[in-house]
């Protein structure tokens, strides 16, 4: 599909939801509805020196802009490709000595581009950027205080000699960013690294159980000439068969939250009340709060309340220890929490799933693969009961479970998880995404090893043990820590 081609989607009046996009023809699962480069995008402040400001890849060694000393790039190709967007930002940062926050930087980039190219930059763009919803008049008092602070910072940052902007114009742009900007993930889908505006994507409405997903394709950054440098872009991909005329939807938030919590987050961040089927009928809420059952016997209500409160407090301690890098303390806290939850909370309970996820990730990092494998298995079994069968987060979790089982020597189970993950990611990411290509290599490798295992189990384990002594992480590190593969609105 050509980037920017909008033949598969058409703009329509979505009633209370405002504008929306619907399918212009019947679409099959895994199709790219459209691909779109960002109108403007920036790297998060906290990752400014770790992520390329052009292609948003997480890299160990980046080259710093010699002038502003803030922007970082993979190489000269990335820097040259990004210069048109960076040059005014570069001058503004040099003027005020330090870079402002990502919202201010993104607002400035958007307004610089509007002044240069107007709000429409291609024939396929359906509406101008400055015509997107801003909801400034709906902002609560606390958000208005933050907005005033950002406006003040923006005015300090805006280059001298440029067209002066009114406070209302700047406020409107911050409102547009708040309600429409999407987070960008790194090349492995492990971490949110930046935020950008995609005018056509902004028209796709939210549903907690959507029929589409969004991924970032980082483009080809290996070209020696910036003229051959393919742009990073988002791709709107279908999760299932979509009839002609059906509305296209994506989820702005992770589904693994109670409907009331998802509604609260959507109201606070995007200023609308979700009325999707899953929220309206509280679908899967019971599973997310389910208690363990032994036959017809359920644990006492007061015990459930006690363990639920303990789990919530423990998760806060776990997160603090993880941030500090005290992984042995994380494992200790997780084991204590899982012990308390045993026979009280079901494996689909949100608090148990969160502990299972952290514990399995940290145990894998510490190379306690046998323990980690059991926890990842329980985690993905819970996920499969809750997530959409083609959810990207489910696919990434299955990939991590497969790799963990491989490291634990459980080749048959590991290969099974990897095949399931591959089937999902072929739909959510497509065959050409770097994550899918990595996973295909893993799938082929584990398939070969599985054949060897079935032929001669003893010989397989002997060869495997010898290989692991030399290469303890032989299977793609790109998949080893995968926990955060989703792509949501900012």
């Amino acid at each position: 599909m050509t980037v920017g081609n909008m033949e598969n989607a058409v703009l329509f009046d979505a009633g209370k939801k405002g504008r929306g996009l619907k399918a212009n023809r019947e679409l099959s699962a895994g199709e790219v509805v459209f691909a779109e480069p960002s109108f403007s995008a920036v790297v998060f402040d906290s990752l400014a020196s770790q992520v390329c400001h052009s292609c948003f890849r997480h890299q160990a060694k980046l080259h710093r802009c010699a002038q502003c000393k803030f922007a970082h790039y993979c190489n000269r190709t990335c820097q040259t490709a990004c210069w048109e967007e960076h040059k005014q930002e570069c001058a503004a940062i040099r003027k005020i000595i330090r870079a402002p926050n990502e919202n201010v930087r993104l607002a400035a980039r958007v307004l610089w581009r509007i002044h240069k190219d107007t709000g429409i930059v291609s024939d396929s763009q359906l509406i101008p950027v400055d015509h997107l919803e801003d909801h400034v008049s709906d902002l609560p008092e606390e958000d208005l205080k933050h907005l005033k602070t950002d406006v003040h910072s923006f005015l300090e940052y805006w280059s001298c000699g440029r067209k002066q902007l009114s406070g209302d114009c700047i406020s409107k742009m911050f409102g547009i960013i708040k309600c429409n900007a999407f987070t960008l993930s790194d090349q492995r889908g492990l971490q949110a690294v930046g935020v950008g505006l995609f005018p056509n994507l902004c028209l796709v409405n939210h549903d907690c159980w959507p029929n589409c997903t969004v991924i970032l394709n980082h483009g080809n950054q290996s070209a020696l000439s910036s003229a051959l440098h393919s742009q990073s872009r988002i791709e709107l991909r279908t999760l299932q068969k979509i009839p002609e005329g059906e509305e296209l939807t994506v989820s702005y938030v992770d589904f693994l939250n109670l409907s009331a919590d998802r509604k609260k987050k959507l109201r606070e961040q995007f200023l609308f009340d979700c009325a999707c089927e899953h929220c309206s009928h509280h679908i899967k809420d019971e599973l997310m709060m389910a208690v363990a059952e032994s036959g017809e016997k359920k644990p006492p209500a007061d015990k459930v309340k006690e363990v639920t409160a303990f789990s919530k407090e423990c998760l806060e301690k776990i997160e603090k220890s993880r941030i500090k890098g005290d992984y042995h303390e994380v494992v200790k806290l997780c084991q204590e929490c899982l012990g308390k939850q045993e026979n009280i909370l079901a494996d689909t309970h949100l608090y148990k799933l969160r502990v299972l996820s952290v514990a399995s990730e940290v145990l894998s990092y510490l190379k306690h693969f046998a323990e980690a494998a059991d926890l990842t298995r329980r985690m993905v079994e819970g996920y499969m009961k809750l997530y959409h069968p083609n959810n990207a987060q489910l696919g990434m979790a299955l990939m991590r479970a497969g790799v963990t089982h491989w490291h634990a020597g459980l080749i048959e189970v590991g290969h099974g998880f990897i095949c399931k993950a591959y089937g999902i990611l072929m739909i959510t990411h497509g065959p050409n995404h770097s994550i899918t290509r990595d996973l295909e290599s893993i799938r082929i490798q584990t398939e070969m090893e599985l054949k060897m295992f079935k032929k001669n189990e003893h010989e397989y384990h002997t060869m495997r043990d010898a290989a692991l002594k030399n290469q303890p992480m032989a299977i793609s590190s790109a998949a080893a820590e995968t926990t955060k593969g989703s792509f949501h609105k900012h």
Side-chain angles (χ1 to χ4, degrees):
M1 161 170 281
T2 306
V3 173
N5 190 332
M6 291 297 293
E7 64 185 17
N8 294 329
V10 62
L11 188 64
F12 80 110
D13 182 349
K16 290 181 180 179
K17 294 190 286 186
R19 293 169 295 210
L21 294 182
K22 62 183 179 182
N24 213 21
R25 64 173 178 84
E26 182 177 279
L27 300 168
S28 302
E31 277 200 63
V32 179
V33 183
F34 64 84
E36 181 182 25
S38 67
F39 188 88
S40 292
V42 296
V43 173
F44 287 146
D45 306 335
S46 57
L47 297 170
S49 62
Q50 301 168 47
V51 172
C52 177
H53 288 224
S54 177
C55 69
F56 293 86
R57 291 171 184 261
H58 215 138
Q59 304 282 18
K61 293 183 180 179
L62 293 170
H63 302 278
R64 187 173 68 172
C65 173
Q67 296 185 55
C68 69
K69 298 181 170 52
F70 173 74
H72 288 71
Y73 302 97
C74 296
N75 48 39
R76 184 57 63 87
T77 303
C78 272
Q79 185 171 11
T80 303
C82 195
W83 176 243
E84 187 62 35
E85 192 168 16
H86 175 60
K87 64 182 179 182
Q88 287 172 301
E89 172 186 77
C90 188
I93 292 171
R94 293 202 312 270
K95 184 190 77 172
I96 65 171
I97 303 175
R98 54 177 174 73
N101 69 46
E102 61 244 17
N103 279 346
V104 173
R105 287 187 287 114
L106 180 57
R109 279 193 170 201
V110 171
L111 287 164
W112 279 321
R113 189 164 190 194
I114 287 173
H115 289 167
K116 177 180 174 290
D117 299 325
T118 74
I120 293 185
V121 294
S122 72
D123 292 340
S124 61
Q125 187 179 324
L126 297 175
I127 66 168
V129 169
D130 48 355
H131 287 191
L132 293 169
E133 292 289 344
D134 62 85
H135 290 294
V136 171
S137 60
D138 301 325
L139 288 174
E141 189 175 340
E142 191 61 30
D143 285 355
L144 285 171
K145 288 179 183 177
H146 290 305
L147 177 63
K148 287 179 182 177
T149 301
D150 278 344
V151 169
H152 178 77
S153 181
F154 180 94
L155 289 169
E156 181 186 11
Y157 179 63
W158 189 250
S159 295
C160 292
R162 294 263 161 205
K163 178 183 175 182
Q164 295 305 301
L165 300 171
S166 68
D168 287 346
C169 172
I170 301 166
S171 295
K172 179 180 172 65
M173 185 50 62
F174 281 120
I176 288 171
I177 288 170
K178 177 177 174 60
C179 296
N180 296 279
F182 274 80
T183 53
L184 309 178
S185 64
D186 66 5
Q187 70 274 26
R188 294 186 298 167
L190 295 175
Q191 185 178 13
V193 296
V195 58
L197 270 182
F198 299 83
N200 289 341
L201 183 61
C202 293
L203 299 170
V204 181
N205 287 316
H206 164 84
D207 194 293
C208 290
W209 199 258
N211 55 23
C212 294
T213 190
V214 184
I215 63 111
L216 179 68
N217 188 318
H218 292 78
N220 173 25
Q221 311 309 125
S222 60
L224 296 176
S225 166
S226 59
L228 303 174
H229 183 283
S230 71
Q231 236 175 344
S232 59
R233 61 197 182 275
I234 59 89
E235 292 176 355
L236 183 72
R237 305 183 67 91
T238 58
L239 294 177
Q240 60 201 47
K241 182 178 177 180
I242 301 175
E244 181 180 351
E246 184 173 304
E247 182 174 10
L248 304 169
T249 57
V250 295
S251 182
Y252 299 173
V253 295
D254 186 6
F255 180 71
L256 249 58
N257 289 285
L258 294 175
S259 54
D261 293 332
R262 294 196 306 271
K263 286 171 71 77
K264 182 173 182 284
K265 186 170 184 179
L266 290 163
R267 162 47 58 185
E268 289 174 352
Q269 178 62 53
F270 305 109
L271 304 168
F272 71 84
D273 295 310
C274 185
C276 78
E277 183 182 8
H278 278 65
C279 282
S280 299
H281 296 96
H282 309 290
I283 298 174
K284 305 222 176 189
D285 278 8
E286 281 190 19
L287 270 178
M288 293 185 197
M289 287 286 108
V291 298
E293 293 186 36
S294 178
E296 294 182 4
K297 189 178 179 182
K298 290 185 178 182
D302 58 341
K303 189 64 178 176
V304 172
K305 187 176 180 181
E306 176 195 326
V307 172
T308 303
F310 176 85
S311 299
K312 188 175 181 180
E313 289 177 16
C314 201
L315 279 163
E316 291 172 1
K317 292 177 184 176
I318 288 167
E319 185 58 24
K320 286 177 183 176
S321 295
R322 183 156 73 158
I323 291 169
K324 288 178 185 175
D326 189 350
Y327 298 128
H328 291 286
E329 180 65 15
V330 170
V331 171
K332 178 184 169 186
L333 288 166
C334 287
Q335 288 173 339
E336 182 185 1
C337 195
L338 288 170
K340 292 269 192 184
Q341 292 172 343
E342 194 66 27
N343 300 319
I344 304 296
L345 305 184
D347 276 3
T348 56
H349 194 289
L350 289 179
Y351 290 166
K352 184 177 264 192
L353 285 173
R354 285 165 190 167
V355 178
L356 288 170
S357 178
V358 176
S360 60
E361 181 184 3
V362 172
L363 284 166
S364 290
Y365 177 78
L366 297 173
K367 300 184 183 178
H368 300 315
F369 296 116
E371 292 175 75
D374 180 58
L375 299 184
T376 58
R377 176 189 56 77
R378 291 169 63 188
M379 177 187 75
V380 296
E381 285 174 357
Y383 280 4
M384 289 171 78
K385 292 174 183 174
L386 295 172
Y387 273 129
H388 186 290
N390 287 331
N391 182 279
Q393 295 238 55
L394 174 59
M396 303 290 268
L398 282 162
M399 178 164 68
R400 178 154 69 93
V403 172
T404 305
H405 278 76
W406 182 89
H407 282 300
L410 302 168
I411 183 69
E412 289 183 279
V413 180
H415 181 68
F417 281 137
I418 285 164
C419 288
K420 286 178 182 175
Y422 186 70
I424 294 172
L425 295 186
M426 280 289 286
I427 289 172
T428 60
H429 289 63
N432 298 318
H433 197 281
S434 58
I435 293 173
T436 316
R437 289 201 302 267
D438 279 349
L439 186 55
E440 184 175 22
S441 298
I442 297 168
R443 184 177 62 87
I444 292 169
Q445 184 177 341
T446 56
E447 191 171 317
M448 290 170 60
E449 293 192 18
L450 185 55
K451 288 178 182 177
M452 187 189 302
F453 172 82
K454 289 181 176 178
K455 187 176 180 182
N456 189 323
E457 188 175 337
H458 176 73
E459 183 181 339
Y460 165 76
H461 281 298
T462 302
M463 291 179 66
R464 183 181 178 281
D465 290 344
L468 287 176
K469 284 177 183 176
N470 295 322
Q471 288 185 310
M473 297 295 279
I475 220 163
S476 177
S477 60
E481 303 169 29
T482 304
T483 55
K484 300 175 183 174
S486 67
F487 181 97
H488 301 304
K489 272 206 172 185
H490 177 53

